[in-house]
Amino acid sequence: MGSHGPDPNALQANNAKDEADVDEDLTILVTGFGPFKTHTTNPSFLIATSLPHSLTFILPPSPSSTSSQTPITNASPSPHTHTKTRVNIIPHPTPLPVSYASSSTLVPTLLRNTYSGVDFILHIGMASGRGYYTVERWGRRDGYVLPDVDGEVPGGGTADGGLRSEGTKGEGGGEEGETRAERGPEILGSTVLGEDVLRQWIEGCQDIDVRISDDAGRYLCDFTYYTSLLEFWRRDREGERPVVFLHVPGEFAEEDLATGREVVLALIGALVEGRVREGKGKGEGDRGGEGRRAMKH
């Protein structure tokens, strides 16, 4: 991948002539956030919308000690010993509002309708207090007390919508709460972020400062991550949750766009390899839970 990963433009050019000869097609939805506080342009959205529309990776038959996901080149390896996977990247065309109310309704709608057939969901957000890139392991249900751009906080400080409705009569005639939706677990994680995938991502980024995080911040990034994970959990508690969250630094200059794009492409490559290897990229998914392959079309 070179000292700073693949060049997106070169990848796109090479993809055009190899479209028909692939072993698997995967699709990934990528989202970024809108402005908030002093950040009139959120770098997460700039990165999401700067990605190439498609990439093709060729994978050797077995993992190696170094980065083994390789962008397609003019000299293609034998199809009998390598797997060729094309990844279609769909950036959501508008930034996600930094709003609890919007996130709690928009994100499930997108996953159920507009992007119901995608294989992966990658949310990108900005962490203003961090000078490095982080993949988040967990989304959390509770503890959302920081106001959003509208000055609002979610009812009860929770991200699962399992709050009690008002004025519901119980069997004895008294007031009794009734949940609007089944409460989710306190913590949810992705099923596609296994140790091999995370290691592959770090190796692919080489000298860029990338880290693994267990705290997504209890703000809109964490809230949105949990909301997406919860959508899959409610469909099938034992099923796939192919959602990933990447935080980018808040201090972001124009020249950092290429670095951010490289970090994302390395992450996509690691997810692809984990998927193709069918089990090498499995993640825990929840505390003590067993990971599974990413959702298929």
Side-chain angles (χ1 to χ4, degrees):
M1 294 177 65
S3 61
H4 282 290
D7 176 68
N9 295 323
L11 286 168
Q12 283 184 290
N14 285 327
N15 284 339
K17 58 187 175 185
D18 291 291
E19 281 189 358
D21 185 23
V22 295
D23 298 298
E24 186 171 16
D25 261 308
L26 299 176
T27 302
I28 180 167
L29 166 68
V30 184
T31 71
F33 282 92
F36 88 108
K37 295 185 177 179
T38 61
H39 300 273
T40 56
T41 301
N42 197 312
S44 66
F45 185 67
L46 292 178
I47 295 172
T49 53
S50 75
L51 299 173
H53 296 300
S54 67
L55 301 171
T56 302
F57 292 98
I58 46 177
L59 304 178
S62 61
S64 64
S65 59
T66 58
S67 179
S68 56
Q69 47 95 358
T70 307
I72 193 73
T73 61
N74 291 333
S76 298
S78 166
H80 301 293
T81 59
H82 289 69
T83 300
K84 187 184 295 183
T85 302
R86 182 172 59 235
V87 182
N88 304 294
I89 301 174
I90 303 176
H92 185 58
T94 58
L96 300 181
V98 184
S99 160
Y100 295 112
S102 294
S103 181
S104 63
T105 56
L106 176 61
V107 171
T109 299
L110 292 177
L111 299 185
R112 293 170 194 170
N113 301 317
T114 311
Y115 304 112
S116 61
V118 300
D119 297 281
F120 299 104
I121 296 95
L122 171 59
H123 295 302
I124 306 175
M126 181 188 72
S128 58
R130 298 177 184 174
Y132 46 87
Y133 297 83
T134 54
V135 164
E136 302 294 342
R137 290 183 188 269
W138 314 105
R140 285 173 168 77
R141 185 187 68 191
D142 305 322
Y144 296 96
V145 297
L146 296 176
D148 60 17
V149 294
D150 301 318
E152 302 291 338
V153 295
T158 69
D160 69 341
L163 307 179
R164 296 191 177 279
S165 60
E166 298 178 359
T168 303
K169 296 291 184 180
E171 291 182 0
E175 299 292 335
E176 178 180 299
E178 180 178 68
T179 57
R180 297 178 189 144
E182 182 180 14
R183 298 225 67 184
E186 291 185 13
I187 298 175
L188 280 173
S190 172
T191 56
V192 295
L193 282 181
E195 293 303 318
D196 285 350
V197 168
L198 294 172
R199 182 176 61 251
Q200 190 76 36
W201 172 59
I202 293 172
E203 290 176 356
C205 293
Q206 299 190 28
D207 60 343
I208 304 172
D209 191 354
V210 296
R211 310 181 190 184
I212 310 303
S213 167
D214 289 326
D215 183 2
R218 298 298 213 289
Y219 194 49
L220 260 297
C221 292
D222 204 341
F223 186 93
T224 300
Y225 191 23
Y226 185 90
T227 299
S228 289
L229 292 165
L230 182 65
E231 173 65 22
F232 286 96
W233 182 84
R234 281 179 169 161
R235 296 179 193 178
D236 182 355
R237 292 188 183 186
E238 302 300 320
E240 310 297 344
R241 294 189 294 277
V243 186
V244 179
F245 199 101
L246 174 71
H247 263 128
V248 305
E251 298 302 321
F252 198 87
E254 184 177 350
E255 57 268 23
D256 295 322
L257 180 59
T259 302
R261 183 166 54 236
E262 180 182 340
V263 170
V264 172
L265 296 182
L267 181 55
I268 291 173
L271 291 169
V272 169
E273 180 158 356
R275 165 65 178 264
V276 171
R277 302 240 181 258
E278 294 187 319
K280 291 292 182 180
K282 292 178 181 179
E284 288 184 76
D286 50 38
R287 299 293 189 187
E290 180 183 357
R292 296 165 185 84
R293 288 187 298 171
M295 175 184 70
K296 295 184 177 180
H297 291 293

